[in-house]
Amino acid sequence: MSSTKQIQDILWKAADKLRGSMDAAQYKEFVLGLVFLKYVSDAFAEHRTQIKKSLSDIPENRHAQFLDDRDEYSAANVFWVPETARWGYLVENAPGGVGELLDNAMDAIMRENPALTGVLPKIFNRDNVDQKRLKELLDLISDARFTGHDNREAKDVLGETYEYFLEKFARAEGKRAGEFYTPPSVVRVLVDVLEPYEGRVYDPCCGSGGMFVQSKKFVEEHAGRDHTHDIAIYGQEKNERTWRLAKMNLAIHGMDPVGIGDRWADTFGDDKHHDMRADFIMANPPFNMSDWARRATDPRWRYGVPPQSNANYAWLQYILSKLGDRGSAGVVLANGSMSSKQSGEGEIRRAMVEADLVACMVALPANLFRTTAIPACLWFLTKDKTPQGAKALTDRRGEILFIDARALGTMVDRTERILTDEDIANIADTYHAWRGTESARTKGQTYENVAGFCYSAKLNEVAAHDHVLTPSRYVGAAEADIDVDAEPFAERITRLTKELYTYFEESTRLENVIRQQLERLDA
């Protein structure tokens, strides 16, 4: 039985089979589409076997009505796979024309499963596709079995593999990958700070759906798998290829992909969730975007009209417009958003601060993003800093928490840094202690300012800094370790002066000895 790592290696080898004949974005669709097809087929076969085992007391001539009852599959979150789309059928008939066979299989699955309509790639029978390599790719993927692995469900193993591939493709595509991929450690900071146990989770630029997947993992880890349906996900993505990736990613992780719409669309130009009021919003919008659908009269610009040259404050205000009365948001933005005063951005920031909508600012370390060299930060916004009744939170009205996390993280290679579990917990625990959440009380954590790392500032202090939100302005410098037994400063100066004087005396003596010896030699 293959390990998850072996499965991933097999599939990356499969990707290499097409690497030479197409660019990273294209072979990403090929490989992930086939991986998804293998997954739905394996999961279907696995559930079909379970049904058959449960029919031992039923006459065999009645088995078909249960084995072909689609409700039996949908109730278990398993997609119905027609016979001509099942993996065994595809492998058996591949020599007769693999590209057409795969396109037909994708089409058949989409017809039978409305949630996947328009999602799966039908790109295998094109003239520019090397059918021989495609057949080799099919054979390699056949070596990877996603069911019955370490007593884990197929979707768990395949979900990890899908995420592994998204990361691999992001590395391969470099800067272009920014539209579909956010580094996992950054996603985890957003999720762990916000703690989305239940309610509506929204991402207005959802990429491949990483925020949603991590939210589900958070609920599983902290509340149990039975509670994963306590969150409902909603999102939007403007890039067609990326939207397809997100749909497949959610389906593989057992999440309803309907929430990200039946079509890709620009969030600013064609808002698919105009009535949305979310409990949690997490987003990594494009940094400093200048090409966006701007309308100066848009009612969402409550705190000022954002400039056409930069959409950072358009994203922030759009997200605020989507928050429920007690909603919270975490947003990844370029560092410039914390201090920019160009084109009215300083005035918008001032209005947001004075409306008490900013809860926390986090300065991130460098090199977290392979897709951009621009330094990044996290904005945490909230509509309600009160104790919120039974939640018994600490009243933080009129305060903003600043965290300078630039010293955190570990370099995994020459150019990339990740935040470790300890780093993520450090940031999240600091915020929870400041806010007085239940998780902080359970851990017995209370908040204190830490020089060089975190500081809770009153709004008048922020105003004194001209509403600049850069954490380093507030947290100060880290305190140096003080040795209580250290030599008093005055005494140290006296001792060093004496030692220096002695050194010069000895140097002068040696110089005289050497000169005398030279004079004797000359004589």
Side-chain angles (χ1 to χ4, degrees):
M1 183 180 294
S2 299
S3 68
T4 302
K5 179 64 168 62
Q6 288 170 327
I7 288 174
Q8 292 168 348
D9 289 343
I10 289 170
L11 297 182
W12 188 245
K13 183 180 178 182
D16 280 338
K17 286 288 182 180
L18 288 170
R19 185 188 296 270
S21 59
M22 60 187 71
D23 64 25
Q26 190 177 8
Y27 77 72
K28 176 171 76 255
E29 285 192 272
F30 266 77
V31 177
L32 290 177
L34 281 177
V35 169
F36 184 81
L37 182 59
K38 180 69 161 64
Y39 158 70
V40 295
S41 183
D42 276 10
F44 177 85
E46 181 182 59
H47 192 65
R48 194 173 182 84
T49 299
Q50 291 172 355
I51 295 173
K52 194 168 185 176
K53 287 179 179 179
S54 70
L55 301 176
S56 57
D57 296 333
I58 297 175
E60 191 168 344
N61 61 355
R62 294 183 56 201
H63 285 191
Q65 72 181 83
F66 294 97
L67 291 173
D68 295 332
D69 183 355
R70 302 189 185 201
D71 291 340
E72 291 281 350
Y73 297 86
S74 60
N77 290 320
V78 173
F79 293 107
W80 176 265
V81 181
E83 185 176 354
T84 56
R86 295 171 194 171
W87 199 262
Y89 178 91
L90 298 174
V91 172
E92 183 179 346
N93 291 276
V98 62
E100 183 178 6
L101 200 67
L102 289 170
D103 278 354
N104 290 340
M106 296 292 186
D107 203 28
I109 290 174
M110 287 190 286
R111 280 199 309 269
E112 298 292 344
N113 300 276
L116 297 177
T117 300
V119 172
L120 304 185
K122 295 170 56 180
I123 55 177
F124 302 95
N125 200 34
R126 295 179 178 176
D127 291 338
N128 66 337
V129 176
D130 186 327
Q131 295 298 306
K132 181 181 177 182
R133 287 194 175 194
L134 185 56
K135 173 63 168 60
E136 292 174 355
L137 181 58
L138 192 74
D139 292 339
L140 280 168
I141 292 177
S142 292
D143 292 337
R145 181 165 178 78
F146 300 117
T147 56
H149 180 266
D150 294 339
N151 296 317
R152 298 161 68 203
E153 294 184 12
K155 64 187 177 191
D156 293 333
V157 179
L158 196 282
E160 291 178 12
T161 303
Y162 196 92
E163 292 170 41
Y164 167 86
F165 261 64
L166 284 174
E167 181 174 1
K168 281 283 193 178
F169 285 122
R171 290 172 182 269
E173 293 188 44
K175 186 175 181 180
R176 289 179 299 170
E179 69 183 18
F180 73 85
Y181 189 76
T182 303
S185 63
V186 176
V187 176
R188 283 190 55 201
V189 173
L190 293 175
V191 174
D192 284 17
V193 166
L194 294 179
E195 298 185 305
Y197 282 104
E198 59 182 6
R200 292 182 170 188
V201 178
Y202 175 57
D203 184 346
C205 43
C206 68
S208 56
M211 303 290 185
F212 303 134
V213 171
Q214 187 57 42
S215 296
K216 179 177 183 281
K217 289 182 179 179
F218 177 87
V219 175
E220 285 182 354
E221 181 180 346
H222 294 88
R225 179 164 292 196
D226 293 343
H227 289 272
T228 56
H229 295 296
D230 292 348
I231 60 172
I233 61 101
Y234 300 88
Q236 188 161 338
E237 171 55 44
K238 73 173 183 177
N239 182 282
E240 177 185 357
R241 283 181 167 177
T242 306
W243 174 82
R244 295 179 193 277
L245 292 181
K247 283 273 193 175
M248 288 191 287
N249 198 10
L250 294 177
I252 282 175
H253 284 89
M255 306 177 76
D256 189 351
V258 172
I260 60 173
D262 58 2
R263 191 173 176 80
W264 56 97
D266 184 298
T267 304
F268 290 126
D270 183 12
D271 187 354
K272 297 294 187 182
H273 301 283
H274 58 276
D275 293 327
M276 168 63 61
R277 291 297 178 270
D279 300 289
F280 303 98
I281 298 178
M282 288 168 273
N284 176 22
F287 291 178
N288 305 324
M289 185 171 68
S290 59
D291 181 18
W292 61 286
R294 177 181 180 271
R295 285 189 300 112
T297 58
D298 194 315
R300 292 173 296 195
W301 314 146
R302 291 187 58 187
Y303 306 98
V305 179
Q308 179 68 68
S309 59
N310 195 316
N312 288 343
Y313 280 88
W315 285 112
L316 289 171
Q317 292 188 84
Y318 174 87
I319 286 167
L320 283 169
S321 75
K322 297 296 185 184
L323 280 179
D325 291 340
R326 287 186 170 175
S328 297
V331 189
V332 188
L333 284 178
N335 270 2
S337 63
M338 298 188 289
S339 58
S340 172
K341 296 180 181 178
Q342 297 178 352
S343 305
E345 289 181 328
E347 287 302 305
I348 299 174
R349 185 171 56 252
R350 176 190 61 76
M352 289 171 54
V353 169
E354 290 180 351
D356 211 8
L357 296 167
V358 182
C360 176
M361 299 296 302
V362 180
L364 293 173
N367 302 114
L368 288 177
F369 296 80
R370 276 184 176 267
T371 58
T372 178
I374 300 173
C377 63
L378 303 180
W379 289 66
F380 289 97
L381 309 173
T382 186
K383 288 285 189 73
D384 187 354
K385 294 182 184 177
T386 71
Q388 297 187 15
K391 288 187 177 181
L393 302 174
T394 303
D395 192 338
R396 290 297 183 180
R397 282 175 286 187
E399 293 182 63
I400 298 175
L401 174 64
F402 291 93
I403 297 177
D404 190 343
R406 291 176 299 168
L408 301 184
T410 299
M411 297 298 291
V412 293
D413 60 30
R414 188 172 53 84
T415 59
E416 184 179 9
R417 182 188 303 270
I418 64 167
L419 295 171
T420 65
D421 291 348
E422 183 179 355
D423 295 331
I424 295 167
N426 193 6
I427 296 170
D429 287 350
T430 299
Y431 178 82
H432 297 155
W434 178 79
R435 195 65 180 97
T437 63
E438 182 179 349
S439 58
R441 294 194 296 269
T442 300
K443 295 179 181 179
Q445 296 170 335
T446 55
Y447 177 78
E448 291 184 2
N449 293 329
V450 177
F453 180 67
C454 62
Y455 181 79
S456 183
K458 301 289 186 182
L459 294 191
N460 60 347
E461 295 178 79
V462 178
H465 285 279
D466 203 15
H467 299 95
V468 169
L469 299 179
T470 307
S472 59
R473 290 206 175 197
Y474 302 90
V475 303
E479 293 182 2
D481 292 335
I482 298 174
D483 183 357
V484 295
D485 297 321
E487 182 179 23
F489 181 75
E491 292 181 13
R492 187 181 184 193
I493 291 296
T494 301
R495 176 178 60 78
L496 290 174
T497 301
K498 288 180 179 179
E499 290 177 357
L500 190 61
Y501 180 75
T502 301
Y503 167 78
F504 278 118
E505 277 191 329
E506 182 63 15
S507 296
T508 301
R509 186 187 68 79
L510 288 173
E511 184 180 351
N512 289 333
V513 170
I514 292 171
R515 186 171 56 250
Q516 290 172 2
Q517 292 295 328
L518 290 173
E519 288 174 352
R520 287 176 184 174
L521 288 173
D522 289 341

